[in-house]
Amino acid sequence: MGNYITERQRYDIELLLKEKYTKPRIAKVLGIKYNTLYKEIERGTVEQMDTQLKVYRIYRADYAQMMYEKSAANRGRNLKIGADHQLAAYIETMIKEQKYSPEALLQRIKNENSHFSTTLCFKTIYNYLDMGLFLNITNDDLPYKRPRKKKKTEKSTVALNNRKGRSIEERPVSIQDRGQYGHWEMDTVVSAQNTGRSCLLVLSERMGREEIILKIRDKKSSTVVRALNRLEKQYGSKAFREKFKTITCDNGVEFLDAKGIEKSIYTKQPRTTLYYCHPYSSFERGTNENINRMIRRFFPKGTNFDDITPKQVAMVEAWINNYPRKILGGLSSNMYLKQIGVATA
């Protein structure tokens, strides 16, 4: 039975733990002393979060290997990125200044066919951040940070008596499959409480994750209708109907004028079809919710949108539409839509 564990064995340990092997059985299979295995698992276990933001502990072979390499530094072992200062600087710039995640910055390297002397996976970058190995960035610079314990807050105002609106239950099932371009979700991103009245009207396309962001002066339903009227003037009646086949929104007071939202300023034919989610069901607008988090990288909670210019809003919109997305196979929204022949202008 061995006292030392190789890098290959660390990946075997990770695999066997996922397959629910017990520690004594893993030690026997790999020919490792139980105490050695126990210490290895303790050393290589990290905290992560699932999609429900619940923290769980899991053994990661690459993290365990890096911890081993760090402890072996006095014997001449170096971390993979140690000699690649160009890559380290690129990672720091993309995370701190461009607000990219490790996954997105690696995808951008691939998309642009850039070359560095060292190759890393995104888990390794996260682990290096956990270990504090970067000079100018920490975990606090990541786009998504571990949330603190949430305080009890009041629910946002919704209209529960929206009897005139068309329920999401009436929306065709085919829209749920995201197989056709032109089905949007709509929401507002508001200013800090007791500050300005201005807010952002955001529209998120379900298939290609295209984003349109408009600064509007307040959350009145008439203001939302006027913003959509401006879009219809920009695209033209026919192009607007083709681009905005349907829109799904919540029951917020700013969206209650269903007739005004659907009514074309040019023809008697409706310019879109509006659907309302169930109250308190933000998950029914999942694309909106995810992209709103990206917007908050630039305009964090507490922002007064009275102080934000349309030019700043346009820059964030462009950034989102050019951001590499894992769900699009590493392409940005603009790249993906161009690939399938959809015009975004």
Side-chain angles (χ1 to χ4, degrees):
M1 302 292 283
N3 289 313
Y4 300 98
I5 297 177
T6 65
E7 183 175 8
R8 174 60 184 271
Q9 287 176 321
R10 290 188 170 93
Y11 284 95
D12 289 338
I13 292 170
E14 180 176 341
L15 177 62
L16 293 173
L17 286 171
K18 288 180 179 179
E19 293 181 356
K20 308 299 183 183
Y21 277 48
T22 64
K23 293 184 182 70
R25 188 180 177 190
I26 294 173
K28 184 176 181 180
V29 169
L30 299 181
I32 303 170
K33 288 186 177 180
Y34 178 82
N35 288 341
T36 302
L37 175 67
Y38 182 86
K39 292 177 182 178
E40 169 63 21
I41 293 175
E42 285 294 306
R43 180 169 53 244
T45 298
V46 297
E47 287 189 346
Q48 295 189 337
M49 285 187 292
D50 61 20
T51 55
Q52 303 299 319
L53 300 184
K54 292 182 179 180
V55 178
Y56 64 97
R57 290 172 59 80
I58 188 170
Y59 175 86
R60 291 297 186 192
D62 54 353
Y63 176 77
Q65 182 66 21
M66 281 185 291
M67 294 300 292
Y68 167 77
E69 291 175 353
K70 184 178 180 181
S71 66
N74 61 345
R75 299 197 298 271
R77 294 292 298 274
N78 296 317
L79 296 173
K80 293 176 68 175
I81 201 172
D84 197 340
H85 302 295
Q86 184 181 6
L87 177 58
Y90 179 85
I91 292 172
E92 290 181 343
T93 298
M94 295 304 295
I95 290 178
K96 192 174 185 68
E97 298 180 13
Q98 299 298 320
K99 303 185 186 301
Y100 270 48
S101 69
E103 295 97 321
L105 72 87
L106 291 178
Q107 188 60 55
R108 177 164 175 169
I109 290 174
K110 181 179 179 180
N111 291 345
E112 296 180 348
N113 199 26
S114 300
H115 297 283
F116 296 92
S117 61
T118 304
T119 302
L120 299 177
C121 70
F122 71 89
K123 292 180 182 178
T124 301
I125 298 176
Y126 278 115
N127 291 331
Y128 282 174
L129 285 164
D130 290 337
M131 296 164 66
L133 297 181
F134 289 100
L135 182 62
N136 298 309
I137 56 174
T138 66
N139 278 323
D140 291 335
D141 295 301
L142 290 172
Y144 300 144
K145 307 175 185 64
R146 182 177 300 170
R148 297 178 180 178
K149 187 176 181 180
K150 294 184 178 180
K151 296 180 180 179
K152 186 176 181 180
T153 56
E154 295 182 0
K155 293 182 178 179
S156 59
T157 303
V158 296
L160 299 178
N161 297 318
N162 183 14
R163 297 187 179 92
K164 296 181 180 179
R166 188 181 294 103
S167 171
I168 193 173
E169 294 178 3
E170 301 175 54
R171 193 176 72 176
V173 177
S174 59
I175 298 177
Q176 183 68 22
D177 297 335
R178 301 178 186 268
Q180 182 188 40
Y181 176 84
H183 302 287
W184 297 73
E185 298 172 6
M186 183 165 62
D187 194 16
T188 50
V189 178
V190 300
S191 292
Q193 192 173 7
N194 300 322
T195 60
R197 299 173 63 191
S198 299
C199 59
L200 301 181
L201 179 67
V202 297
L203 293 112
S204 310
E205 203 280 320
R206 287 176 54 81
M207 184 184 78
R209 273 69 176 183
E210 180 185 354
E211 185 77 351
I212 295 174
I213 311 176
L214 303 171
K215 179 182 176 181
I216 56 177
R217 65 184 184 184
D218 53 47
K219 284 186 65 177
K220 292 181 180 179
S221 59
S222 58
T223 304
V224 171
V225 171
R226 282 196 294 270
L228 294 175
N229 289 346
R230 290 196 299 272
L231 279 180
E232 188 178 9
K233 290 179 181 178
Q234 176 185 335
Y235 289 106
S237 177
K238 182 179 179 181
F240 186 95
R241 289 197 306 272
E242 291 175 352
K243 189 175 185 71
F244 299 94
K245 294 178 178 66
T246 69
I247 299 176
T248 302
C249 62
D250 61 26
N251 291 271
V253 292
E254 67 270 38
F255 302 131
L256 288 189
D257 187 2
K259 184 177 180 180
I261 290 174
E262 292 184 341
K263 183 179 179 181
S264 172
I265 59 176
Y266 294 113
T267 69
K268 293 182 179 180
Q269 181 181 358
R271 61 187 174 189
T272 189
T273 302
L274 187 68
Y275 296 97
Y276 289 96
C277 297
H278 297 100
Y280 309 116
S281 301
S282 60
F283 62 89
E284 293 178 337
R285 293 179 298 99
T287 305
N288 257 161
E289 293 298 305
N290 288 332
I291 297 183
N292 285 353
R293 291 173 66 187
M294 299 175 75
I295 293 173
R296 285 299 188 186
R297 299 186 196 183
F298 297 88
F299 305 133
K301 290 185 177 180
T303 297
N304 180 354
F305 286 109
D306 283 353
D307 300 330
I308 301 301
T309 67
K311 183 177 180 181
Q312 289 174 291
V313 174
M315 290 176 61
V316 173
E317 178 187 295
W319 181 90
I320 291 173
N321 288 328
N322 286 289
Y323 188 84
R325 308 295 295 274
K326 183 178 180 180
I327 200 166
L328 300 178
L331 301 178
S332 68
S333 175
N334 282 344
M335 295 169 66
Y336 175 76
L337 293 177
K338 182 179 180 180
Q339 187 178 87
I340 64 174
V342 173
T344 58

